[in-house]
Amino acid sequence: MSFLRPARCPVPRDLDEVTTVGEEVRPRELGISGRAVRRIWAWVRSLYSSGFHPAIQLCLRYRGEVVLDRAIGYARGNGPEDGPDAPKVLATPRTPFTIFSASKAVTAMAIHLLDQRNLIRLDDPVCEYIPEFGTRNKEWITIRHVLSHRAGIPNVPPEAVDLDLLADPEAILDFLCRSRPVWRPGRFLAYHAITGGFLLAEVVRRVTGRTIRSFVDREIRKPLGFRWMNYGVRPGQVREVALNYVTGYPPLPPLSSLLRRAMGLDFEEAVEFSNDPRFLCGVVPSANVVATAAEMSRFYQLLLNGGELDGVRIFEPRTVRRALVEHSYLEFDLTLLLPIRYGAGFMLGGKWFSPYGPDTQYAFGHLGLTNILTWADPERRLAAAILTNGKPLVYPEIYYGFQLLREIGRTFAKNRVRPASFFCPPRRREPERVAPRVGDEPLRRAGGGA
């Protein structure tokens, strides 16, 4: 892999041969042009044809109905280093992908569920639940600081990045307890790529007595009937997960240095780690949720509905609103070196600068490494997920990805109803106070003048 010859995947001539379609509603039934939906999928095909993504999975839900649920490419066997005789596994809408940092949204909602049940308070210091964490000026770090990437401990020490440690949560916690904040909690915004998830998972364990995997499985995954959408998989399911591939141009400083500081290892090593059975069978709350695009779009449909889906209520509307309260307004993120809007666990959209395409100021969701995107847009009544197993960083063909988001925004028109009405019940209007009357004369207070 070099800047002269970036790592690419072989692209078959007939894209229809590597395309699979799930159950979809006819666009016309939802008032959408079939031609517009075909334009959306045309941009997916263009992105796939760039050769930087062995497989792409897309699911779009409009007004709760599935408009697009498709996959293109290979889950395994068609990477840049795979030979022509390598056994290939076709990706389908049912193929699970590792969603990397998009996992943070699932972890955040597990924490908000504890708050909903009055088991924690978001503004409580973390050390109230993990006493040994309250050292070296960390006693002021709150759960809200962790959710909003303001805890001041964004970097992972290199010695903590060891796959064997995933089987020893106490060792990971010990690293976090011995760490020292880079700055005062709450002062600056810096994306916590790995550290925050382990802290939040430990809070769940201390409060419920269960691991976060068990908690999400019982409280979210099973009630909604998901097959995957949890942290990692069982050992016998590892081969079912789409394999991740390093593609594109090699990262150079300062980008490579920023990634190493945030993740504790080089970018290529991070992709290799994601394919390791220890990673896929362990629990990495910030990075190793395994799910399909259809499942992630259903998860965001749940939030779009105010916490209820298919007659099953998981969250109260108030809980969803609290998760989306803005904590950073296009503030410069010292890890990502970009201006990002954050809620309590979600990346928020914007009018001009947004991860979810232009004019998406009410959208919320999360990015994943790399070109993984899961989100909901209340204005458009849209819940969506784009999953990929190619891991390019910077490449000119990302233009197709931007155009894909732009086309999605154009296709699904904004609703005239204010977005807040999706989450906020209408306030009861107080009756006008009218002075009681006897005949035509208003009553007066005792002692009042004539």
Side-chain angles (χ1 to χ4, degrees):
M1 180 171 60
S2 68
F3 276 95
L4 296 179
R5 298 186 64 181
R8 296 179 187 264
C9 309
V11 178
R13 292 182 178 179
D14 187 353
L15 299 187
D16 291 337
E17 291 185 357
V18 293
T19 299
T20 52
V21 181
E23 295 184 7
E24 301 175 351
V25 173
R26 291 184 178 181
R28 189 177 303 174
E29 296 179 14
L30 299 173
I32 304 171
S33 165
R35 181 178 298 178
V37 172
R38 288 193 293 272
R39 283 198 300 266
I40 292 175
W41 187 246
W43 285 115
V44 175
R45 288 165 60 102
S46 296
L47 183 62
Y48 173 75
S49 298
S50 68
F52 291 112
H53 297 288
I56 302 175
Q57 199 178 70
L58 171 68
C59 186
L60 301 179
R61 292 175 184 269
Y62 176 60
R63 291 161 48 185
E65 300 290 344
V66 178
V67 178
L68 274 170
D69 185 20
R70 302 180 186 181
I72 184 171
Y74 293 98
R76 290 170 174 264
N78 200 46
E81 303 298 328
D82 293 328
D85 297 329
K88 295 176 173 55
V89 178
L90 193 67
T92 74
R94 295 184 179 182
T95 301
F97 285 67
T98 306
I99 65 173
F100 293 90
S101 286
S103 308
K104 292 178 174 65
V106 178
T107 300
M109 290 313 297
I111 290 293
H112 285 291
L113 188 56
L114 295 182
D115 177 67
Q116 173 180 301
R117 295 177 179 177
N118 296 317
L119 296 175
I120 65 171
R121 289 290 180 266
L122 299 185
D123 291 312
D124 287 344
V126 174
C127 62
E128 287 193 13
Y129 306 95
I130 311 174
E132 60 269 35
F133 182 73
T135 61
R136 299 191 173 188
N137 297 323
K138 298 193 300 298
E139 60 269 27
W140 310 113
I141 296 177
T142 67
I143 295 174
R144 192 182 300 276
H145 283 146
V146 179
L147 287 171
S148 57
H149 301 278
R150 291 182 172 275
I153 49 172
N155 302 328
V156 182
E159 61 272 18
V161 184
D162 186 343
L163 287 173
D164 291 328
L165 291 180
L166 295 181
D168 186 8
E170 295 296 333
I172 297 175
L173 180 63
D174 182 61
F175 279 112
L176 295 173
C177 291
R178 289 189 285 110
S179 64
R180 187 184 297 275
V182 182
W183 46 72
R184 188 174 69 247
R187 184 173 184 181
F188 294 116
L189 173 66
Y191 184 68
H192 290 45
I194 302 295
T195 53
F198 284 114
L199 276 179
L200 297 175
E202 185 63 17
V203 169
V204 172
R205 190 179 74 85
R206 296 290 175 101
V207 171
T208 67
R210 291 180 283 162
T211 65
I212 193 169
R213 173 192 277 166
S214 175
F215 182 77
V216 168
D217 183 67
R218 180 176 175 178
E219 306 297 338
I220 300 177
R221 189 187 74 85
K222 287 182 178 178
L224 295 178
F226 291 162
R227 181 184 178 188
W228 305 101
M229 212 203 79
N230 208 340
Y231 306 95
V233 295
R234 294 192 296 271
Q237 297 172 325
V238 168
R239 294 290 299 177
E240 297 183 55
V241 182
L243 201 65
N244 294 307
Y245 293 91
V246 177
T247 59
Y249 299 89
L252 295 177
L255 181 59
S256 58
S257 302
L258 291 171
L259 291 170
R260 181 170 184 82
R261 187 173 63 180
M263 298 186 295
L265 70 171
D266 292 331
F267 177 74
E268 292 186 7
E269 291 178 312
V271 178
E272 292 175 3
F273 269 41
S274 71
N275 295 322
D276 193 291
R278 290 170 293 178
F279 178 88
L280 287 172
C281 296
V283 177
V284 185
S286 291
N288 85 329
V289 166
V290 173
T292 64
E295 288 182 340
M296 290 311 299
S297 68
R298 282 195 71 208
F299 175 74
Y300 279 94
Q301 186 67 52
L302 166 75
L303 302 181
L304 204 58
N305 293 350
E308 183 178 0
L309 185 66
D310 298 333
V312 178
R313 178 162 292 283
I314 306 295
F315 306 106
E316 297 296 329
R318 173 180 177 271
T319 302
V320 179
R321 294 196 300 269
R322 288 168 65 89
L324 303 181
V325 170
E326 186 176 41
H327 288 78
S328 302
Y329 178 73
L330 287 180
E331 187 174 344
F332 193 75
D333 188 306
L334 297 178
T335 299
L336 302 179
L337 300 184
L338 292 170
I340 302 289
R341 294 177 64 219
Y342 283 106
F346 292 90
M347 291 178 169
L348 306 180
K351 180 69 175 178
W352 307 110
F353 185 82
S354 170
Y356 317 111
D359 196 21
T360 55
Q361 59 267 41
Y362 292 104
F364 60 92
H366 216 287
L367 297 173
L369 185 79
T370 63
N371 302 146
I372 286 176
L373 192 58
T374 59
W375 81 100
D377 190 336
E379 283 189 298
R380 293 177 170 85
R381 294 171 289 181
L382 176 72
I386 302 171
L387 308 184
T388 67
N389 64 339
K391 302 302 160 193
L393 279 175
V394 180
Y395 59 111
E397 289 83 352
I398 189 61
Y399 164 80
Y400 299 128
F402 294 147
Q403 287 299 110
L404 169 61
L405 295 176
R406 184 183 296 273
E407 195 64 48
I408 291 173
R410 288 174 178 170
T411 300
F412 301 99
K414 289 186 177 183
N415 189 19
R416 294 181 180 179
V417 180
R418 291 183 59 192
S421 66
F422 283 87
F423 307 109
C424 301
R427 178 177 293 182
R428 292 182 180 178
R429 189 172 182 178
E430 295 292 336
E432 296 182 5
R433 296 187 177 183
V434 180
R437 303 174 69 91
V438 176
D440 292 332
E441 294 295 328
L443 294 178
R444 303 185 187 276
R445 293 186 180 182

